[in-house]
Amino acid sequence: MSFPQHRPRRLRTTPAMRRLTAEYRLDPAELVLPAFIREGLSEPNPITSMPGVVQHTTETLKRAASEAVELGVGGIMLFGIPAERDAAGSAGTDPNGVLNKAIADVRAEVGNDLVIMSDVCLDEFTDHGHCGVLDADGVVDNDTTLEIYGRMAVEQARAGAHVLGPSGMMDGQVAVIRQALDDAGFQDVSVIAYAAKYASAFYGPFREAVDSQLTGDRRTYQMDAANRREALLEVELDLEEGADMVMVKPAMSYLDILADVAAMSPVPVAAYQISGEYAMIEAAAANGWIDRRRAIEESVLGIKRAGANIILTYWAAELAAWLKESK
Ligand code: PBG
């Protein structure tokens, strides 16, 4: 191929020309806002390592949800932080547990105007901080954990979640949750599978966000950063088990994985721009080392360009407001 007369700069000459020829553009509807609610708070509690993100009270969570609706944001992903934790993570299956109550409160506030997603995982609820219950040797017990996930899922569906997000990386979790939902009459509640979730250092600030009790790491259940092909196996397994959407997580260090999954997935593909990715950009911007808004927009656009149809980002509301103002 040879185009001796071609000068690509012609299409970059004016903002209007660049806008016309842009291959990708962001839309608030594809963004999902992850949000934390902590039991027993009277005021929202700032998360130091995630400037601008808080642990919500019921009131401030409801406000954040209705603001998201006004901004045209596509969804919200809820995480709960209980007052009491135990080895089995009982607060997760308690219908009056912090997360289940928050789901009901948000659903009462926004109805069907926002897709309400919730985290089906035990790490916020266990006193040891692992995503499942432990066996006698202290190893996360896959199948005992699945049974608890099934019960958590039904309570979250009953509370009013539209989409459940099992993030624990137990084998078979999507199948068990699907079955539990169907048995309980929740055929229309969807599952977004954290299909390719890697054991990542970038989850660091999330530990503060949920007051995690974890010592050690999650390498026996989350994926190894060295593996690319294996992500496709994880996605295929989750699809076979009935996943309605699949996710790649983290996003920015895994854009190759995201592109691979986008190329083969017959269902919508999500990517989660996680706490550490947020923190890095906020920290550099706070130091004046990068332009905050441009770095945020560029990072999220990169995730979209790699193939994400849905992007979970702590900047969802702010980004949606920018997109609205530039319309
Ligand atoms: C597990 C879970 C984690 C995140 C979402 N769900 C933590 C982990 O796997 O260690 C991380 C999200 C983020 O870092 O923003 N329930």
Side-chain angles (χ1 to χ4, degrees):
M1 223 171 28
S2 125
F3 300 113
Q5 300 309 312
H6 205 85
R7 294 173 70 88
R9 284 187 56 184
R10 284 186 194 119
L11 300 189
R12 301 174 195 148
T13 47
T14 66
M17 186 66 88
R18 292 194 293 274
R19 189 177 63 215
L20 177 72
T21 59
E23 294 177 41
Y24 293 91
R25 61 190 95 239
L26 294 171
D27 184 329
E30 69 204 351
L31 303 177
V32 174
L33 177 69
F36 304 99
I37 174 150
R38 179 168 175 175
E39 191 169 19
L41 280 186
S42 50
E43 290 297 321
N45 190 27
I47 299 162
T48 321
S49 53
M50 300 178 73
V53 180
V54 300
Q55 295 175 332
H56 281 291
T57 66
T58 302
E59 279 318 302
T60 65
L61 178 66
K62 288 198 301 198
R63 220 175 305 142
S66 51
E67 194 188 294
V69 172
E70 274 156 40
L71 291 165
V73 168
I76 192 165
M77 171 66 86
L78 301 174
F79 296 93
I81 303 127
E84 305 284 343
R85 296 175 151 109
D86 60 28
S90 320
T93 47
D94 178 353
N96 292 314
V98 59
L99 179 55
N100 295 326
K101 271 173 44 192
I103 294 166
D105 290 337
V106 170
R107 181 69 188 263
E109 183 77 10
V110 301
N112 291 329
D113 293 344
L114 189 65
V115 176
I116 301 167
M117 307 185 173
S118 52
D119 190 51
V120 182
C121 192
L122 283 175
D123 67 313
E124 294 96 2
F125 298 103
T126 53
D127 54 12
H128 46 72
H130 275 293
C131 294
V133 290
L134 306 180
D135 67 15
D137 300 322
V139 176
V140 174
D141 183 331
N142 197 86
D143 294 7
T144 313
T145 301
L146 290 184
E147 188 270 321
I148 302 176
Y149 283 179
R151 286 192 281 128
M152 277 183 93
V154 170
E155 290 310 326
Q156 294 184 6
R158 210 188 306 282
H162 298 104
V163 180
L164 305 186
S167 67
M169 290 299 279
M170 296 303 125
D171 291 331
Q173 62 186 8
V174 172
V176 166
I177 288 170
R178 183 71 268 156
Q179 186 70 51
L181 290 173
D182 290 350
D183 289 349
F186 296 110
Q187 279 83 2
D188 288 339
V189 171
S190 309
V191 176
I192 184 165
Y194 281 65
K197 178 173 177 183
Y198 287 83
S200 172
F202 296 105
Y203 299 136
F206 184 89
R207 304 278 158 86
E208 185 197 344
V210 299
D211 296 327
S212 175
Q213 307 299 302
L214 185 71
T215 51
D217 59 50
R218 307 194 194 285
R219 289 173 199 266
T220 68
Y221 42 104
Q222 296 180 345
M223 287 181 63
D224 187 332
N227 295 347
R228 179 170 182 175
R229 201 189 301 283
E230 190 190 2
L232 300 181
L233 172 64
E234 287 282 5
V235 169
E236 279 178 26
L237 289 171
D238 285 346
L239 289 171
E240 262 171 36
E241 291 176 30
D244 300 286
M245 298 176 246
V246 293
M247 194 197 294
V248 173
K249 178 182 179 186
M252 291 161 70
S253 298
Y254 298 86
L255 295 178
D256 55 333
I257 310 298
L258 182 54
D260 288 353
V261 171
M264 60 71 89
S265 173
V267 301
V269 175
Y272 196 144
Q273 185 178 44
I274 61 164
S275 57
E277 303 180 287
Y278 176 91
M280 279 193 294
I281 290 177
E282 289 290 346
N287 276 293
W289 295 338
I290 55 174
D291 180 316
R292 180 174 179 274
R293 177 165 171 173
R294 286 188 55 198
I296 292 170
E297 289 173 339
E298 183 179 330
S299 67
V300 178
L301 189 58
I303 293 166
K304 174 152 185 183
R305 198 185 58 238
N309 306 116
I310 298 167
I311 302 167
L312 289 85
T313 173
Y314 297 97
W315 289 301
E318 191 172 10
L319 198 47
W322 291 338
L323 291 165
K324 220 171 166 182
E325 111 206 343
S326 68
K327 274 265 159 68

